[in-house]
Amino acid sequence: MRYLPLTDADRSAMLEKIGASDVDALFVDVPEEARLDGPIHGLPMHASEMAVEKHMRRLSKKNLAAADAAFFLGAGAYKHHVPASVDHIIQRGEFLTAYTPYQPEIAQGTLQMLFEFQSQVAHLYGCAVANASMYDGSTACWEAVAMAGRIARGKKRKVVLSGALHPHYAEVVKTMAKFTDDEIAHARPAMQAAPDNDGLIARIDEDTASVVVQYPDILGRVTDLAPIAEAAHAKGALLIVVNTEPVALGALKSPGEMGADIVVGEGQSIGVGLQFGGPYLGLFAVRDPKHVRMMPGRLCGETQDAEGKRGYVLTLSTREQHIRREKATSNICTNSGLCALAFSVHMTLLGEAGLRRLAMENHRLACIAADRLAKVPGVSVLNDSFFNEFTIRLGTDARAVVRKLAKQDVLAGVSLGRLFPDHADLADGLIVAVTETTTEEDIETLASALEEVLA
């Protein structure tokens, strides 16, 4: 039985009410050449459920799945082991049915989870307050830039982006800045062993509202953020730190400890699988509690009910859904709640000691990989420092090498030519990521395959 809520009479009554002659009149503002005049070219017509399933299975066999290859892809999305208990817990009925936290009397489980999630993120980032998650890392990055602009109250409009910021994050910031008065100052990436912190600091001036850096950066390099924070603060600017690999913070000093004012990032590594690119979740935290009312999204807080029992509520929700649009700090309409739940469950199962052990295992295997790949003729390791991701130079276009290795069931890494297509001097760079799911056999497979291809 098809669900057709409107009759022809209903449609006619609605059109008459708004003064439209027919349905086509509703689309007069869409250029005629952009309107469909029949079926979409190249898209098959409707089919039975069984036929669609068979078709999709045939298509899926064309993929090389992460589990079926020696896997070294990273650059913002990482293959980590997610315990089966995570999936089991997030599917419990208490979480599935209490979807919305707006009615606290029926959503205490969801609210408590978000409260615990905020506590975990704040501790991980070395900050005072975290929100109840965002869409993903790239949009969280823009929201941080917008928040810094609100704090500056329009007096400062310059945003200094590090050349070592993930280019997709930088593009999101540039895209959104087209609708604001922000001036984006973005440096070109440099293929060198350490980030050009001096060059970054030199671009900070009295008009700078925020400085955005990545930690570890897009090439996997790890740097001391304290001098950058000091330089930003000396000019009255805020330091925004982006972290795409939260597992790294099990081994590295947190950005908040080094003076970052706003810390944002991608939470996919903990509890969330690769999932063909999404959905993921954005993490967002601030070091100074005085900035909490400028934060985007929503926050959960702990309170007491009329009987003195502990309870949880949405404390701040300065979104356009809740207050007048001109007063909203964000138009974020969801907080990736299920992914946030998965993150929180996995983090709880790990605990602080478990996260540190996981981080050290990632780093141990990455060191083994870097040492082995450095022995491949024609390969050089760029980084002086790294966590579980580093950049190698191949002396030839890395994109061609990646394609050849993929045919051998080796997903060798992310080529810099793919990330920075306009910078020919980066074309021989390859970002290699190693996690606890990588075996020493995988590392040897990659090294041997590289030796063969580069010979």
Side-chain angles (χ1 to χ4, degrees), residues 147-212:
M147 175 178 165
R150 289 192 295 274
I151 293 172
R153 300 185 185 279
K155 297 177 181 178
K156 298 170 178 281
R157 305 306 309 181
K158 182 178 177 181
V159 181
V160 175
L161 301 185
S162 165
L165 176 65
H166 195 302
H168 297 170
Y169 285 55
E171 285 303 312
V172 169
V173 171
K174 292 176 183 178
T175 297
M176 296 302 294
K178 293 177 182 178
F179 305 98
T180 67
D181 295 326
D182 293 294
E183 172 197 346
I184 306 300
H186 190 195
R188 72 185 311 277
M191 280 281 268
Q192 54 193 44
D196 182 17
N197 290 343
D198 291 339
L200 176 71
I201 290 172
R203 292 190 287 128
I204 305 172
D205 57 28
E206 301 294 339
D207 295 325
T208 303
S210 61
V211 181
V212 184

Side-chain angles (χ1 to χ4, degrees), residues 330-342:
S330 169
N331 68 347
I332 289 290
C333 296
T334 186
N335 69 320
S336 298
L338 187 63
C339 294
L341 172 60

Side-chain angles (χ1 to χ4, degrees), residues 326-396:
E326 66 275 12
K327 295 290 186 180
T329 57
S330 169
N331 68 347
I332 289 290
C333 296
T334 186
N335 69 320
S336 298
L338 187 63
C339 294
L341 172 60
F343 177 101
S344 190
V345 170
H346 193 183
M347 185 68 81
T348 301
L349 292 170
L350 284 170
E352 183 175 344
L355 179 63
R356 293 190 185 281
R357 287 197 300 270
L358 175 63
M360 295 313 298
E361 178 64 5
N362 274 245
H363 183 60
R364 183 186 74 84
L365 288 166
C367 288
I368 293 173
D371 290 343
R372 177 64 182 91
L373 294 177
K375 296 177 182 178
V376 175
V379 173
S380 61
V381 177
L382 177 72
N383 303 54
D384 284 339
S385 62
F386 57 86
F387 169 62
N388 68 350
E389 191 168 31
F390 54 89
T391 299
I392 58 176
R393 304 200 73 164
L394 305 179
T396 186

Side-chain angles (χ1 to χ4, degrees), residues 33-57:
E33 61 272 17
R35 302 182 212 170
L36 285 176
D37 57 2
I40 300 176
H41 178 70
L43 189 68
M45 298 301 289
H46 70 278
S48 70
E49 184 175 336
M50 289 187 293
V52 172
E53 286 178 351
K54 289 180 180 179
H55 177 68
M56 299 306 292
R57 277 197 295 270

Side-chain angles (χ1 to χ4, degrees), residues 77-91:
Y78 302 91
K79 181 189 174 189
H80 288 285
H81 173 67
V82 179
S85 50
V86 173
D87 191 50
H88 173 76
I89 292 172
I90 68 174
Q91 293 187 66

